[in-house]
Amino acid sequence: MRKKAALCREQSMIRTFGKIALGSMLFGTVALAPLQVSAQEVDGVFEAPDRPSLNFYGTTGLIDMPSGEALPDGTVAVGISSFGGTTRTTLTFQATPRIQASFRYSGIKDAGIGRFDTYRDRSFDVRFLLNRESRYLPALTIGLQDFAGTGIYAGEFVAATKKFSGGAIPGTVKATVGLGWGRLGSSGAIGSPFGSDRPSFTGGDTGGELSADQWFRGEAAPFAGLEWQINDKWGVKAEYSSDAYVTETGNGVFDRKSRFNFGAEYQVSERIRVGGYYLYGSEVGVNVQVQLDPNRPVSPLRLPAPLPYATRPPLKAGQQGYDTNWAASSAEVSQELRDVIVPLLKAEGMTLVAVKTTARTAEVRFTNDRYASTSIAVGRVARILARVLPPSVGTFRIVPVKNNLAQSTVVFRRSDLETLEFAPNASEALLAATQFESADPVLAGAALNEALFPSFNWSIGPYMKRRLFDPDEPVRVDLGIEASAQYQPAPGWKIAGTIQHRLTGDISDDTIRTPSALPRVRTNSLLYAQGSDTSIPNLYVSRQWKAAPDVYTRVTAGYLEQMYGGLSAEVLWKPVASRLAFGVEANYVKQRDFEDILGFRDYSIATGHASAYYEMRNGFTGQLDVGRYLAGDVGATVTLEREFANGWKVGGFFTLTDVSSEDFGEGSFDKGIKVTVPVNWLLGNPTSQTRSTTIRPLQRDGGARLNVPGRLYDQVRSGHRAGLVGNWSGVWE
Amino acid sequence: MMTLTSRLFGVVLLSALVAGCSSSTGADANKSLPSELFSSAKKVIAARGVGPVAAVTPSREVIQGLTEPVLQIDPELAGGSDFLRRVESRTDSSGRTNEVWRSSLKANVFLRNGVLVGTRGVGSDIISADAKYTTRALAARSNGSGTRSYTISDGDLTTTKYEFNCRYENLGAKNIVVAYQSFKTTHMRETCVQTSPESNTIANDYWVESGTKIVRQSRQWVSPKVGYFQFKLLRK
């Protein structure tokens, strides 16, 4: 007895040791290791490959000049730079390995342009990597700077960069040479190879149009530079600039005494780099760069490991199959199974919707509340079924359901799950043996989870609203409290609402009211902010269901968004394994009142769109919406989005309608950028939440689409073949 | 320290994205984003106090009191030790034994004849791995060459495949002491060079018992972010 007691105590001591040790391992504390020369081999940790740095324009480059390199595929970078009264904030995205796009917001103090003290400008850049660096050839890039704006930064360039390392000098040296046009060809020009027809910048233009007939026209000037990355942390740069800063020096913003720029940069962490510079012989500048590679999460996801697959006992010799008598009454055993697996699914963060089993096949319909990827949920459900079901059940049909929409049916053979768990290419082998079928709207003869409905959720928390790009105050912020609630009385029905109360902020301090030739369908946002401190962003009733295995439908009525309320209906056709989907949406809405939070104004409109969605290779999704917009204009919106398998999405859109550029106003047509970040990428906890933000350089009244909660396409995609296959390894996790 | 900075950075960046003009999707209706942020920030701050932990050496009494198979794992980079129980052992038709070892904190390790072919719950896990040439070389205890591949999680529900060309060397007989017992073993080394695009090198060490051919002790690579683990079979 005494020995046993000692044993128990010691074993629990081991477990405590294990807890502390594994606990510290789980939080990733790194043991202090002695300084090692060849860290790679000894500790087995692979270093991240070298990344190019950004210039003052927020694109890959030296100091003020671009270089010939591209960022790693998929990188999202933000650069904030300031010198001589010019501040530039740029968002850059390496959309493909060769194409890099940027959106920039800049401010020039005391520029003397227009009526503003500080001249603020939005510009877009795009560049294309013509040649990847190889042993003898440099990296070569051709680029357009500010190609569709008011044109203060308009320029084009061709740049080549070559890396040198090894030899007597430590670190890496990069040499860049290039030729620039426009702003990049204004100093030290050597001629006009493609014609000299290029108008100079005039402030106050509406801009927004592509001035393709000016690209590479006018004088061209060379530029060059050297970058020396001394070690992991420090780098220095020197360049010869071809930008004469004609507008800025003409208006006395700063004095340009020299063509040479110098700077030093420090890599603060894997993602953040800062630099200090001496520019044009007269100015001191700073630059902060943040580069996020979607493929390197800030906090890696860590899931508690599941128990291994429960295997069936082997078939005895001479036996035809496993005993099937237990499933004489399908209805009865389905109910027994339901009672058993409801708590098991709940422990995994999932909710059972319905289950049906026969002697040979079991189908489970469930909702995934925890995991960002449906594939993990599917794998966990399969493990639970393997543990609980008798051996005769050889086929599992697993159906993820989202808000009463059964997304798809994933069909596994139980024997595949048992044999492939330790296979060297477990993910690919299982994918080859898995079938994806469409899911019937309702599972006939199933045992339902009675406890699901009615359900009620609510939450209270802070909220923050921002308003960007007002010329007088580029960032305006409102802070307040928000309460929201959701009531689901029956499958597919939802009554939801949100109420906000503004505590403090300066969004309503704005006084500018730009003229509009169109009905003010979107440019009234200031009046809504000024009208009332309390507002109801939405309050509605919605019902959604599947009309057929591949057809999803929704009807929503109520206060749909801050500015409109009414009725919205949508139909979406999307087969499980198809890249193509079609949808139709029709709305009838009235504009909401500014002060009376539940009232309406006189303006009402019927809007609607026919949409085509296409999932391309490499995670690109294209969407074309054709229809009628809120101001009564008719046209189309093109959206192109790149979605990474981990949930990151970066995309852009533009809308062209029958409204002329003059009537639209500044900007000429509606365009914007959308970025979505999955929360688990940042925090490392399993969660399915995402955060999206849309940035429009300008909000005008043309091409304005209604914001409706619960549009179908994104609800349905996560459980379809493309949404599962990208994260297929999750089935085994 | 690096991970603390990274996680704080993640929390700060997420706060920046909490701003309006934003929508959130995700059926986690009960857990609002601010509460996720707070719980994450709390974890990060708690982790600050925990310094590097030394590996544990269990006492003789503890070892003698063990009644089931126990595997000790010492993560080299993270420090400390973990003790795992065997929860599954399946031998297939060709004599290869796949074992699943599980720690009290729900991390799994898959061993095929003593060679690491999978992990779960470690973060940057090996989802699956090929060890055909390795198990063959260890069984024969002879020099040779072969290939190895690992499918490793990137920490964001995607995976990357790492493929290596490997060389096996018999470094001679060696007596080792594990759990206060002495074992006659052969020290085998597996040196692997990555095929593309980088050419990182890893080196795994195995101490194979002379009689039973069991891998009594080993040092094996897990993934580019985790580094090496040391394995000791305390009781088989």
Side-chain angles (χ1 to χ4, degrees), chain A residues 21 306 422 464 646 683 691-692, chain B residues 7 20 22 24 81 108 112 156:
Chain A
F422 304 120
M464 184 163 113
N646 55 23
L683 298 181
R691 274 335 227 188
S692 288
Chain B
R7 295 202 86 197
S22 76
S24 78
S81 301
N108 283 353
R112 186 174 301 141
D156 60 359

Side-chain angles (χ1 to χ4, degrees), chain A residues 350-517:
Chain A
M350 294 182 275
T351 311
L352 180 73
V353 173
V355 63
K356 177 179 174 186
T357 180
T358 64
R360 299 242 177 259
T361 307
E363 178 164 332
V364 172
R365 295 191 168 211
F366 71 99
T367 303
N368 162 31
D369 303 317
R370 175 180 296 173
Y371 300 106
S373 170
T374 315
S375 55
I376 302 182
V378 165
R380 297 290 170 123
V381 171
R383 283 179 199 265
I384 290 172
L385 289 177
R387 221 159 49 233
V388 160
L389 285 170
S392 73
V393 180
T395 306
F396 294 164
R397 296 170 62 87
I398 301 179
V399 178
V401 173
K402 194 161 181 157
N403 294 329
N404 194 43
L405 301 175
Q407 292 170 318
S408 66
T409 308
V410 181
V411 185
F412 292 127
R413 275 195 306 258
R414 194 170 180 177
S415 49
D416 289 332
L417 294 169
E418 292 169 341
T419 50
L420 293 175
E421 190 176 9
F422 304 120
N425 54 345
S427 300
E428 290 110 339
L430 183 62
L431 184 60
T434 304
Q435 284 183 311
F436 297 91
E437 295 173 6
S438 57
D440 286 337
V442 173
L443 181 59
L448 302 172
N449 183 356
E450 315 273 318
L452 274 184
F453 299 101
S455 86
F456 181 66
N457 292 315
W458 62 273
S459 71
I460 286 188
Y463 81 91
M464 184 163 113
K465 243 194 226 172
R466 58 159 172 74
R467 197 174 142 92
L468 295 178
F469 310 141
D470 285 342
D472 287 329
E473 188 59 64
V475 182
R476 290 184 191 275
V477 166
D478 268 2
L479 290 166
I481 321 175
E482 174 182 80
S484 55
Q486 239 188 47
Y487 177 63
Q488 290 169 291
W493 286 96
K494 181 157 84 167
I495 302 171
T498 308
I499 184 164
Q500 281 179 351
H501 181 76
R502 184 180 144 266
L503 292 173
T504 176
D506 59 355
I507 287 183
S508 48
D509 293 344
D510 194 7
T511 50
I512 293 184
R513 198 137 153 91
T514 44
S516 176

